[in-house]
Amino acid sequence: DIQMTQSPSSLSASVGDRVTITCRASQGISNSLAWYQQRPGKAPKLLLYGASRLEGGVPSRFSGRGSGSDYFLTISSLQPEDFATYYCQQYYNAPLTFGGGTKVEIK
Amino acid sequence: ELQLLESGGGMVQPGGSLRLSCTASGFNFRNYAMTWVRQAPGRGLEWVTDITGSGSYTYYADSVKGRFTVSRDNSKKTLYLQMNSLRDEDTAVYYCAKNILSSGDFYFDFWGPGTLVSVSS
């Protein structure tokens, strides 16, 4: 199974900050990576797929990049509604696996 | 409007059974593979099982293989998860999620709100 490791596990930031979350796969996954946002008590919501493709309706302050086994989610200017937990997910190989999550908290 | 709504969760003793349902609307259900993902309290997301759009093929995580069975009724636009021999570690919120295609390993573009399964004596 492909292991997905996210860092940091949590971070504190202020509204307007630029935030970057890292997701590292245990092997190369050829951009077969999705990012989800999960607000407390809610279902995950798809943000990006194909490592860098923005899902429809997702604000452009969210962006993704990466290659091989290392991927990054960046929020260019943190908004109040962005305080949530973010998960990466690889779909290169079965079984589908998720990172452990990164909780973005208000400083 | 696309909707997924899970039901059937609840409290059950170890060794017991539960059947979850996920009712879909707003999209052509039979054209998409469907997945169950679970989240233990305070933990991350874990893929459990998925089923192709036709229902012909199913796949399971090792942690549930032989105990859980996924199925679907495309005429009723409903996904099911039969859970037998439940263990404490099966306690989680169970989400159904829509895949982007009818088969294959991909990502999920819509999720239901989830239903809580609690296994405890």
Side-chain angles (χ1 to χ4, degrees), chain A residues 1 34 36 38 41-46 49-50 55 87 89-91 93-100, chain B residues 35 37 39 43-47 50 60-62 95 99-100 105-114:
Chain A
D1 298 5
Y36 302 90
Q38 186 178 35
K42 300 295 186 181
K45 172 189 172 185
L46 177 65
Y49 59 94
E55 174 71 350
Y87 293 94
Q89 176 231 323
Q90 67 81 20
Y91 50 96
N93 262 352
L96 306 176
T97 47
F98 294 87
Chain B
T35 294
V37 174
Q39 186 171 35
R43 306 296 296 274
L45 301 167
E46 179 190 13
W47 170 78
D50 52 40
Y60 297 93
D62 288 344
Y95 296 101
N99 292 22
I100 62 158
D105 298 317
F106 289 100
Y107 52 91
F108 317 113
D109 60 354
F110 194 78
W111 300 57

Side-chain angles (χ1 to χ4, degrees), chain B:
Chain B
E1 180 188 2
L2 207 153
Q3 286 195 328
L4 293 171
L5 186 61
E6 303 91 342
S7 60
M11 188 172 292
V12 62
Q13 293 187 335
S17 298
L18 274 179
R19 188 196 198 201
L20 306 184
S21 299
C22 171
T23 303
S25 61
F27 65 102
N28 196 339
F29 183 70
R30 67 179 63 246
N31 284 355
Y32 296 94
M34 295 295 294
T35 294
W36 288 98
V37 174
R38 68 184 180 183
Q39 186 171 35
R43 306 296 296 274
L45 301 167
E46 179 190 13
W47 170 78
V48 175
T49 178
D50 52 40
I51 184 169
T52 56
S54 65
S56 298
Y57 297 95
T58 59
Y59 307 90
Y60 297 93
D62 288 344
S63 58
V64 307
K65 201 171 293 182
R67 301 187 298 121
F68 289 13
T69 302
V70 63
S71 61
R72 63 192 295 162
D73 185 335
N74 285 342
S75 68
K76 295 183 178 179
K77 294 188 175 183
T78 302
L79 174 72
Y80 302 100
L81 183 64
Q82 177 66 44
M83 304 186 295
N84 298 332
S85 303
L86 282 161
R87 306 168 179 167
D88 290 352
E89 56 264 34
D90 296 319
T91 294
V93 174
Y94 285 73
Y95 296 101
C96 67
K98 171 186 168 291
N99 292 22
I100 62 158
L101 292 175
S102 63
S103 64
D105 298 317
F106 289 100
Y107 52 91
F108 317 113
D109 60 354
F110 194 78
W111 300 57
T115 188
L116 176 63
V117 172
S118 182
V119 184
S120 174
S121 54

